[in-house]
Amino acid sequence: MTSPADPATSATQPPLTPAVRGALTRYRVIAYIVGVMLLLLLFVAMPLKYLADDPSAMDIVGPMHGFLYVVYLLATFDLFRRVRWTFTRLVLIALAGTIPFLSFYAERKTTHELTPH
């Protein structure tokens, strides 16, 4: 087990400056919101549209999820810029908002990696 003072850990883990902490908080909030909106879209709005022939929920949830996903991308890019992730990491985290439940996992993993234990 490594301690926060371990040189191997501190070399890979960026310092949690107030700017990084703020970007992480914004990312965490929007990751949960986008995850919930995607679940509503897939498990409520789409079944109502295609099984019950009622597109009203899709007309509301679809555009909301689209807008919030753009906000998620901006928050992800902001965190990427402050933490200096690789471009591959940025793409993977950005795609997490498009797969059900993955945004929750990505948020948890990212928070665990960036916060001191």
Side-chain angles (χ1 to χ4, degrees):
M1 186 168 157
T2 59
S3 68
D6 185 4
T9 304
S10 60
T12 59
Q13 190 176 44
L16 250 178
T17 64
V20 171
R21 189 177 322 234
L24 179 61
T25 300
R26 288 186 294 276
Y27 165 75
R28 292 183 71 191
V29 168
I30 196 65
Y32 270 99
I33 292 171
V34 165
V36 169
M37 290 302 294
L38 181 59
L39 293 176
L40 284 174
L41 181 68
L42 292 176
F43 297 116
V44 176
M46 289 182 77
L48 282 173
K49 180 178 181 176
Y50 293 110
L51 299 176
D53 201 27
D54 182 10
S56 60
M58 187 74 161
D59 293 342
I60 296 168
V61 177
M64 282 178 56
H65 172 69
F67 173 77
L68 291 169
Y69 182 69
V70 171
V71 175
Y72 173 81
L73 291 176
L74 292 172
T76 301
F77 181 77
D78 182 39
L79 188 59
F80 155 79
R81 185 177 58 86
R82 294 176 193 277
V83 178
R84 299 177 189 207
W85 282 333
T86 63
F87 184 73
T88 303
R89 175 79 186 261
L90 169 66
V91 170
L92 291 174
I93 297 294
L95 287 175
T98 64
I99 300 170
F101 301 103
L102 194 57
S103 67
F104 303 120
Y105 173 77
E107 180 277 327
R108 193 73 245 150
K109 185 174 180 187
T110 299
T111 301
H112 182 71
E113 289 176 5
L114 293 179
T115 55
H117 305 300

